[in-house]
Amino acid sequence: MHSEIKIRIKDLSEQIKEVTKESHVRAENTELMLSFQRGQVTLPQYKLLLCSLYEIYRALEEEMDRNSNHPAVAPIYFPAELARIKSIEKDLEYFYGPDWREKIVVPAATQRYSHRLRQIGKENPEFLVAHAYTRYLGDLSGGQVLGRIAQKSMGLKSGEGLSFFAFPGVSSPNLFKQLYRSRMNSVELTAEERNGVLEEAVRAFEFNIQVFDGLQKMLSVAGNEQRQSSTDSKAVHGKTLQIPGTFSPMLRMILGLFVALAAVVGLYAL
């Protein structure tokens, strides 16, 4: 007599956690996360981060809104509880002023990330599940702790410039995460769609890592320019370093930030 063998299919949330394990570790070891962990995040770092978060969340939330009735998106659509774009806009206005839209700068990697979100929103809306899960639950999990670290590191008054970390619509993060995972695990997907979502989850982490690395490379280039200019200025007494007006807005900004960044944590990724 053969004994019955029951095969349990893993929940989607469990599978995402497994397939992104390596990428998660790599993301945590970027300069941005290490700065947070050391309690050494600087204001320039945080402002640059907000700029990229704005572009990423704008794309994500516009596509989530547009596909809110899609069978894979509807169960995890919680705009009142999770939407970040208004909070990020509030923080950007605090740091950059009312004309903040004219001042924000992002690396090419951020633009690629945003483009991917808009692409899948049109072609494969079910893939939005992977990006929403990795972004929202990641921010919800670490938001309060990272918010306190950022506040202390940058000497900000309570709540000022830190709206991104606050989720006023979520009274209990742990209970909400349980609800979110339950809703996500209830989404009906074909085997092909499930595999696509898992691949997209890995891609989501890779996009974040690329964003961090993209700014690190830009800072490295800017640092070389700054060091060369410093060397040249030593040979010509009485002259001060000028940032050429022909440089791009991003490069002019990075050049201006480099000395402060290098003094605290060295070259920084996002």
Side-chain angles (χ1 to χ4, degrees), residues 21 28 40 49 52 76 89 109 117-118 128 138 144 156 166 174 187 190 200 202 210 219 246 267:
K21 188 178 297 183
E28 287 181 339
Q40 296 175 331
L49 170 63
S52 281
I76 59 160
E89 288 177 348
L117 289 168
R118 297 191 187 284
L128 291 171
Q144 292 182 330
L156 298 172
N174 287 333
V187 173
T190 65
E200 196 66 29
V202 175
Q210 287 171 21
L219 284 168
T246 55
L267 296 179

Side-chain angles (χ1 to χ4, degrees), residues 170-187:
V170 178
S171 57
S172 171
N174 287 333
L175 289 177
F176 186 83
K177 284 187 290 184
Q178 290 176 18
L179 169 65
Y180 193 96
R181 290 192 185 98
S182 176
R183 290 282 193 91
M184 187 178 75
N185 292 334
S186 73
V187 173

